[in-house]
Structure formats: C-alpha cells, structure tokens
C-alpha cells in the first residue's frame, strides 16, 4: 500500500523529537519514548516476527493483525513492506532455503565420499539445532507457494549436489552412473526424515545421530558397525 507511513517510523523535526523525548509526567518521571526504526530495521523486525509466528502456528493460523501487534505497528505497515501475509511468508521461506543450502554447500569440503556424507548430515542437524524456527517453517506445507518453496524442494536441491559426487564415485568404481540420482535421493531422503524425527526427540546426541546415519548409508545393514564414529568430527 504505497503512501502508507508507519507512525512509529515517521517523525517530526529533530527539535520536536528532543522535546518529546524529554517530556515528563506530572509525577516528574520521564515519559517513555518509542524507539524509532529505519525502514530497513522495521522490515527485518517484521521478518523476524513473521518467522516465529509461521513456525509456531503455520501460515493459515498466522494473521497480519498479530504480526503488526507484536511489532507494535499498524496493519498498513506490514502491507507496505510485503503486500500482505503471502509476501511476508515468501520472504521468510526464501531466506531459510538459501540459509540451509549455503550451510550444506559450505560444509562439503572433504574429498572422500564417506566424509562428505558425514558433513552433509551434520550440516542439516546443525541447522535443525540452531535454527528451530526456520526449520519448522520449511517443513510446514503452505498452499500459497509453489512446490519449489518447501522443504522437499530444498532436499531435492541437495540431492542434485550429492548426485554429482556419487556419479564420479560410481564411474571410478565401474558402476553405472545413471543410478547416481536414485542413490542420492535415497541418501538425502534418509537424512532429512531422520532430521525431522530428531527435531522432536533431541536424543541421542547430534554427532551420534550422524554417525549412525552414515553407518547405515556407508556400510549397509549387513556390515553395520556396533559403535560407529565420525571421521570428520569427534563425538561429544
């Protein structure tokens, strides 16, 4: 809504602000003045509030009224920044998608396929542990966004990265590389589903979860290690 101004963000001239900030009550105590925010600061505040509400309640149960109330602004301010609830949600989801993919891409530094699998599993579990609100937003389905803006699509992007790694490994071992996509989807899907379960269970410890995931993926059921450990990170 163009032209709508946040009353908290707009102000009079500097002299009026100084007078307002030094205003006192009848009892002689200074009156509390509201903290003014720049447009960029207000936008970040609304994104943070929206992220928390969407994580707690989902898209449908979250309202523009509640976002505005928590930010202590009027509803038109939310519309001015995002055009509505759908726009705010899209920004929140886009940020989480990029954050998770960047984490996983940055984690893939080892050259050995087993270590790469460990790093990918740990990167996802780290994200779940450190960004619980963001992860909840991603795993919730929303009718307002395309299938490209949900957790399944993020994991599909990760699987494509793993596919290239597996393809090279398959070629070096004389396997048919056309099956690399199938295996990458299976591996990433396994890690993603376990990650969703671990989000609620929170035990065993993160490093142990990753070690057992890699144990199954790397060794297979017929050659499981009784006490698997990570090569890339010492278990705590």
């Amino acid at each position: 809504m163009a032209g709508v101004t946040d009353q908290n963000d707009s102000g009079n001239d500097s002299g009026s602000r100084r007078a307002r900030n030094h205003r006192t009550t009848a009892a002689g105590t200074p009156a509390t003045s509201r903290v003014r925010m720049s447009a960029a600061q207000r936008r970040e505040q609304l994104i943070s509030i929206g992220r928390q509400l969407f994580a707690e309640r989902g898209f449908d149960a979250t309202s523009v009224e509640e976002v505005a109330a928590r930010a202590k602004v009027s509803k038109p301010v939310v519309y001015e920044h995002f055009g509505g609830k759908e726009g705010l949600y899209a920004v929140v989801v886009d940020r989480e998608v990029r954050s998770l993919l960047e984490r996983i891409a940055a984690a893939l530094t080892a050259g050995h396929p087993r270590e790469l699998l460990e790093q990918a599993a740990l990167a996802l579990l780290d994200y779940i542990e450190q960004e619980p609100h963001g992860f909840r937003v991603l795993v919730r389905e929303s009718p307002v966004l395309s299938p490209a803006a949900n957790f399944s699509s993020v994991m599909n992007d990760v699987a494509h990265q793993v596919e290239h790694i597996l393809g090279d490994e398959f070629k070096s071992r004389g396997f048919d590389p056309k099956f690399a996509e199938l295996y990458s989807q299976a591996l990433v899907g396994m890690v993603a589903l376990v990650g969703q379960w671990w989000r609620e269970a929170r035990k065993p410890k993160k490093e142990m979860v990753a070690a057992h995931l890699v144990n199954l993926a790397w060794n297979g059921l017929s050659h499981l290690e009784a006490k698997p450990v990570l090569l890339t990170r010492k278990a705590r």
Side-chain angles (χ1 to χ4, degrees), residues 216 219-225:
L216 176 59
N219 297 315
L221 286 172
S222 61
H223 296 90
L224 286 176
E225 299 173 357

Side-chain angles (χ1 to χ4, degrees), residues 90-151:
V91 171
V92 170
V93 170
D94 179 67
R95 285 195 176 191
E96 294 306 321
V97 168
R98 287 188 285 110
S99 175
L100 179 53
L101 289 177
E102 287 170 3
R103 278 172 176 261
I104 293 175
L108 299 179
T109 58
H112 193 279
R114 174 169 178 163
E115 293 178 335
L116 288 169
L117 181 58
E118 289 183 5
Q119 291 168 346
L122 282 168
L124 176 58
L125 294 174
D126 282 341
Y127 174 79
I128 294 172
E129 180 179 58
Q130 297 165 12
E131 304 292 345
H133 286 148
F135 185 71
R136 287 191 183 95
V137 169
L138 287 182
V139 297
R140 288 182 181 274
E141 298 294 335
S142 171
V144 303
L145 296 179
S146 69
N150 55 38
F151 185 66

Side-chain angles (χ1 to χ4, degrees), residues 60-109:
D60 290 334
T62 299
S63 66
V64 171
E65 290 84 354
E66 187 165 9
V67 173
R70 288 203 184 185
K72 294 182 171 57
V73 298
S74 60
K75 284 171 53 180
V77 175
V78 181
Y79 287 108
E80 180 182 10
H81 280 281
F82 304 101
K85 183 171 71 170
E86 293 82 359
L88 175 59
Y89 185 80
V91 171
V92 170
V93 170
D94 179 67
R95 285 195 176 191
E96 294 306 321
V97 168
R98 287 188 285 110
S99 175
L100 179 53
L101 289 177
E102 287 170 3
R103 278 172 176 261
I104 293 175
L108 299 179
T109 58

Side-chain angles (χ1 to χ4, degrees), residues 205 207-208 211 228-230 233-236:
K205 291 184 178 180
E207 290 81 5
M208 187 176 293
V229 296
L230 297 174
R233 186 185 299 185
K234 291 182 180 180
R236 295 195 292 268

Side-chain angles (χ1 to χ4, degrees), residues 6 8-10 34-50 67 70-73 77-78 81-82 88 91 95:
D6 179 1
N8 293 336
D9 294 341
S10 64
R34 293 183 178 180
V35 177
R36 297 179 64 251
M37 292 185 181
S38 67
Q41 289 172 328
R42 180 65 73 192
R43 179 179 175 84
E44 290 302 314
Q45 180 205 31
L46 292 172
I47 292 172
S48 177
I49 291 172
V67 173
R70 288 203 184 185
K72 294 182 171 57
V73 298
V77 175
V78 181
H81 280 281
F82 304 101
L88 175 59
V91 171
R95 285 195 176 191

